Amino acid sequence: MNLRVLVLTTSLGVAITLSAVNFYFQHKWYDVMVTFSVALGVSYFVFYYLIEKYIYSRIKLIYKLIHNLKLGRDLRDALGEHVSANPIADVEQEVKEWAKQKKTEIDELRKQEKFRRDFLSNISHEFKTPLFAIQGYIEALQDDDFDDKEMARQFLEKASKNVDRLSYLIKDLDEISKLESGEMPINYTKFKINDLIKEVFESLEIKGKQYHIKLIFKQKYDEPIVVNADREKIRQVLVNLIDNSFKYGKEEGNTSVSLFVLHDQVLVEVTDDGIGIEEKFLPRLFERFFRTDSSRSRQIGGSGLGLAIVKHIIEAHQQTINVRSTEGLGSTFGFTLARAKQTIPFPNLPVLKS
């Protein structure tokens, strides 16, 4: 309902009321018509002036402010000033949408604040653990004054391992930071994913034997599968996922890699038959420092950033990664890669002699 219709409706109500009162006392239709006409005209102009000056103009101002806030400066400058034909109705819709948007933003900010607190708490704990260990070994060496050389050697080795752990943390944090900021570009090349998987298997074969886990490459296709991605970064993804399967696999277990050719993508799946993951932990699995079993994870080692790095690398390729798992049965991590178009080479044609 626009302003004129609102004022006219209100004026009609006043005019009809006064006319009815006049008819009740005078019983003259002429007087009723005069009263109705005068009351309608006077009410219309008085109400129009009052509502326009004290209510309608302010509603238009509120609508304009909210609309411009929603658009932002760039869009506002491009589109110019927006004038609503019916700001009274539009302002209600604008306020509802604006309130919904702000609620979403506030919820997102709260979620980010919680993530920030958790991240700071986790990173503080991850750094404090090796630092306190190093400090303890150094103080023990200082108190002993190197009298027991065998103990001193053992303490130095343990301190060295904790220094390595700090180095891994800093390196992984730096890598995630560069991936997020775009400082680490994706160098796309066409390569055979089959060959890369075999290379990763060869490099991790000894480590797999240490964990008593057998590596299996489920290759169902005879011809090579070519993808378009950053070869070294995808190597890192495979190494991180397979290494993760070693840590949470079971002795005499298996870790297998499977390939599935889709229309324009290739799905790579890394499957283990280890301890599995509880369903409630799956949505948070790729968060930094998130551990489903903190005590076991820290005994195993690692920075706690492997899966976060994997997620960042795959998303930098504009692809997706997912996980499905059943507690006690194992887990499967799957990620997609862009499939490269393979050109068919022309056969060597005989040269025509004149």
Side-chain angles (χ1 to χ4, degrees):
M1 183 181 293
N2 59 33
L3 179 61
R4 288 186 175 82
V5 175
L6 176 65
V7 172
L8 181 61
T9 304
T10 307
S11 302
L12 280 171
V14 173
I16 291 171
T17 302
L18 292 176
S19 300
V21 172
N22 182 282
F23 182 78
Y24 179 80
F25 287 105
Q26 300 293 331
H27 296 288
K28 294 180 179 179
W29 284 106
Y30 177 78
D31 293 344
V32 170
M33 295 300 297
V34 171
T35 303
F36 178 82
S37 301
V38 172
L40 180 63
V42 172
S43 299
Y44 182 86
F45 288 108
V46 170
F47 288 155
Y48 189 90
Y49 173 77
L50 293 175
I51 294 175
E52 169 69 27
K53 183 175 182 179
Y54 295 105
I55 299 175
Y56 197 71
S57 60
R58 296 183 182 181
I59 289 175
K60 285 198 295 185
L61 178 61
I62 293 170
Y63 171 79
K64 182 180 176 182
L65 288 172
I66 293 173
H67 187 78
N68 288 342
L69 276 172
K70 287 178 65 180
L71 283 178
R73 183 176 179 180
D74 295 338
L75 279 174
R76 187 173 68 249
D77 293 342
L79 298 175
E81 293 295 335
H82 177 76
V83 179
S84 172
N86 187 10
I88 292 179
D90 291 345
V91 75
E92 180 183 6
Q93 183 64 27
E94 291 282 348
V95 168
K96 286 180 179 178
E97 292 178 1
W98 188 63
K100 185 179 179 180
Q101 178 186 345
K102 292 303 172 186
K103 182 180 182 302
T104 304
E105 291 177 3
I106 290 170
D107 291 342
E108 187 62 29
L109 286 172
R110 285 175 178 168
K111 189 185 297 182
Q112 291 178 2
E113 177 63 19
K114 183 179 182 302
F115 176 79
R116 186 187 67 84
R117 287 197 305 267
D118 292 345
F119 175 71
L120 289 175
S121 174
N122 286 330
I123 197 172
S124 173
H125 183 82
E126 294 292 339
F127 274 100
K128 280 193 301 184
T129 303
L131 280 173
F132 287 165
I134 294 168
Q135 185 181 21
Y137 293 134
I138 291 174
E139 289 177 354
L141 290 172
Q142 289 173 336
D143 293 340
D144 184 67
D145 200 20
F146 291 91
D147 289 337
D148 189 339
K149 291 185 178 180
E150 180 60 26
M151 184 190 75
R153 185 184 62 79
Q154 292 177 0
F155 280 9
L156 285 172
E157 287 178 356
K158 291 178 180 179
S160 176
K161 289 180 180 179
N162 282 279
V163 170
D164 290 341
R165 183 177 175 186
L166 282 174
S167 298
Y168 293 144
L169 278 168
I170 294 169
K171 174 179 169 292
D172 287 349
L173 282 170
D174 182 58
E175 187 168 359
I176 284 181
S177 176
K178 287 180 178 178
L179 283 167
E180 285 183 332
S181 61
E183 294 178 26
M184 190 177 289
I186 303 299
N187 301 313
Y188 285 95
T189 57
K190 293 181 180 180
F191 61 93
K192 299 173 185 176
I193 188 67
N194 323 56
D195 294 345
L196 180 60
I197 292 170
K198 291 173 184 176
E199 289 176 19
V200 172
F201 271 27
E202 289 175 3
S203 66
L204 294 174
E205 187 177 3
I206 296 175
K207 193 169 187 178
K209 289 179 179 178
Q210 292 174 352
Y211 284 96
H212 305 287
I213 290 177
K214 183 181 178 182
L215 293 172
I216 302 171
F217 182 25
K218 293 183 177 179
Q219 177 57 280
K220 298 180 181 179
Y221 305 95
D222 295 331
E223 71 278 3
I225 301 172
V226 182
V227 297
N228 187 25
D230 189 318
R231 197 177 196 276
E232 290 308 309
K233 288 186 175 60
I234 298 305
R235 179 196 297 275
Q236 185 178 1
V237 168
L238 289 167
V239 168
N240 283 0
L241 291 177
I242 294 172
D243 187 61
N244 192 70
S245 74
F246 290 163
K247 294 174 182 178
Y248 299 98
K250 64 180 181 180
E251 285 196 11
E252 307 303 329
N254 298 311
T255 293
S256 63
V257 177
S258 303
L259 293 176
F260 302 93
V261 177
L262 310 177
H263 175 63
D264 56 353
Q265 292 176 316
V266 175
L267 173 63
V268 185
E269 289 192 340
V270 179
T271 304
D272 65 70
D273 52 5
I275 60 175
I277 306 162
E278 289 186 58
E279 188 176 354
K280 64 180 180 181
F281 293 136
L282 293 180
R284 299 189 58 193
L285 205 58
F286 295 99
E287 291 181 13
R288 302 172 190 179
F289 298 115
F290 180 76
R291 302 177 188 266
T292 56
D293 186 347
S294 298
S295 58
R296 179 177 177 182
S297 298
R298 291 194 172 91
Q299 288 172 2
I300 291 170
S303 65
L305 296 168
L307 291 179
I309 291 173
V310 164
K311 183 173 184 288
H312 277 83
I313 290 175
I314 297 301
E315 289 183 348
H317 282 77
Q318 297 182 346
Q319 298 296 321
T320 59
I321 184 167
N322 61 78
V323 57
R324 60 183 187 273
S325 182
T326 303
E327 194 176 6
L329 295 179
S331 306
T332 296
F333 290 84
F335 62 92
T336 58
L337 294 173
R339 186 183 179 192
K341 294 180 180 179
Q342 300 184 49
T343 57
I344 302 173
F346 287 99
N348 294 325
L349 298 176
V351 179
L352 295 177
K353 296 181 181 180
S354 57

